[in-house]
Amino acid sequence: MMTYSRSIPLALLALFGTGLAQTVDGSKFDKPDGGPPGSYFAAGSSIPVAALQSAAAKASTPVPDATYPINGDKGAKKVTIHSDWTKFDQGAAYVWIADMDVDCDGIDYKCKGNPDGQHQTNFGALAAYEVPFFVIPDRFGTKYAKQLPGNNVGAVICNGKMFYGIYGDSDGDTPQVIGEASWLMARTCFPNDDLNGNSGHGDVDVTYILFTGDDSVLPSSALNKNYVTNFTTLRSMGDKLMTALAKNLKLVDGGDGGSPTTTAGSNPTSGSCEWEGHCAGASCKDENDCSGHLVCKSGKCASD
Ligand SMILES: *[C@@H]1O[C@H](CO)[C@@H](O)[C@H](O)[C@H]1NC(C)=O
């Protein structure tokens, strides 16, 4: 009896609840134009994206031996990875600003415009159509492997929006280049540009923030060899780390989930729930900003 009363609502939830709890069978999203929607890995509305972008542009402490060209052309612009934000207890991160080439290594290596793809990514064989990942130069990943064990959560700010992803692959070309992300990430950032293996976003205007340490590694409960299986974990880790970083940079004033644009500071997130900072009472734009079954009513997460 227990079995029936519990399993029927869960089955209904599985059928109709896709916009709420983003646990997925990754293979269903493993298509060039059928990847997970950007809302599955977008930063929550409490994250001060514009302020983080300006702060990133001011980072100035170079990581030694971490300057790379953005492509293999002669005289290509060079970009340096910065360590200004690596000392924080929580939300420690490397930061750089680069272009965004498209990487399809892993099981989707045959993507459009990608004749030289590899079957594997550094920590598995990710699906570039399903996983928002970014790529770092191999020399950097190897030298800082202790800080970056692999699958670390990070974010890009592109086109004014912030999306979370993982450090899933490294670039071993000659020369090693910087500024690269998976097919899904690149096409979510720049949806109108038909980006592909042979056509990236060339402007050096994408901010990359890569969190360090074991605490920032997306766990195997949310990721397998090929796919992200739980986007709620990715977003909640991303929001938590990014909120900690923003607090350390004094871009937000205190309280959990506090909105940087609200000076009144009346943004209670008192309710506890699965997705910290997105519980009843937290600010929201739509239900994707709210935990579990909560909906967005008049700008606040609330039960239906
Ligand atoms: C998905 O991730 C969230 C947040 O980490 C977690 O609370 C939830 O239990 C996970 N769902 C499944 C089905 O594993």
Side-chain angles (χ1 to χ4, degrees):
M1 263 173 51
M2 241 344 241
T3 320
Y4 280 104
S5 58
R6 285 189 58 84
S7 68
I8 290 168
L10 282 176
L12 287 173
L13 183 67
L15 279 174
F16 301 113
T18 50
L20 302 169
Q22 281 123 5
T23 313
V24 302
D25 170 358
S27 64
K28 299 223 160 69
F29 289 96
D30 189 12
K31 298 170 195 146
D33 289 313
S39 61
Y40 280 30
F41 50 101
S45 58
S46 66
I47 305 297
V49 176
L52 282 157
Q53 189 176 358
S54 334
K58 291 184 195 126
S60 60
T61 311
V63 175
D65 188 31
T67 298
Y68 298 89
I70 59 166
N71 59 48
D73 298 347
K74 236 190 154 140
K77 189 177 161 72
K78 288 190 171 156
V79 161
T80 296
I81 299 174
H82 290 112
S83 64
D84 302 53
W85 302 349
T86 54
K87 299 272 161 22
F88 300 130
D89 272 351
Q90 289 187 312
Y94 292 109
V95 60
W96 65 97
I97 298 170
D99 63 339
M100 189 180 274
D101 300 329
V102 177
D103 183 271
C104 290
D105 285 353
I107 59 175
D108 297 324
Y109 70 97
K110 285 185 176 152
C111 80
K112 183 176 162 188
N114 200 46
D116 60 345
Q118 301 179 359
H119 305 227
Q120 304 283 319
T121 48
N122 279 42
F123 313 103
L126 295 176
Y129 299 152
E130 200 264 355
V131 182
F133 67 83
F134 37 77
V135 182
I136 65 176
D138 196 60
R139 201 169 69 237
F140 184 76
T142 304
K143 186 163 177 190
Y144 296 98
K146 190 163 172 284
Q147 290 84 349
L148 301 171
N151 300 325
N152 295 67
V153 172
V156 299
I157 305 174
C158 51
N159 233 343
K161 298 197 180 89
M162 181 185 283
F163 296 103
Y164 296 123
I166 56 171
Y167 154 42
D169 201 14
S170 71
D171 178 81
D173 290 347
T174 312
Q176 295 187 7
V177 299
I178 196 165
E180 198 173 350
S182 69
W183 172 281
L184 173 69
M185 185 70 100
R187 293 176 64 102
T188 304
C189 280
F190 304 102
N192 304 321
D193 298 348
D194 191 28
L195 298 186
N196 60 67
N198 196 30
S199 171
H201 172 81
D203 293 344
V204 180
D205 60 4
V206 178
T207 301
Y208 294 78
I209 298 170
L210 175 52
F211 293 110
T212 64
D214 294 336
D215 290 353
S216 69
V217 172
L218 190 68
S220 57
S221 59
L223 174 81
N224 61 31
K225 188 169 173 262
N226 305 126
Y227 305 113
V228 171
T229 54
N230 188 341
F231 281 91
T232 307
T233 308
L234 174 62
R235 285 196 310 169
S236 60
M237 284 180 72
D239 278 351
K240 195 170 170 195
L241 291 161
M242 201 57 78
T243 301
L245 174 62
K247 274 184 200 166
N248 284 325
L249 297 171
K250 315 241 181 310
L251 304 176
V252 291
D253 42 24
D256 265 356
S259 165
T261 50
T262 314
T263 43
S266 57
N267 188 21
T269 54
S270 49
S272 70
C273 65
E274 168 184 303
W275 188 15
E276 207 183 308
H278 301 259
C279 307
S283 300
C284 55
K285 280 189 204 132
D286 58 43
E287 85 270 4
N288 290 319
D289 289 331
C290 301
S291 181
H293 296 96
L294 301 178
V295 296
C296 190
K297 272 188 199 159
S298 322
K300 300 273 176 210
C301 295
S303 22
D304 204 354

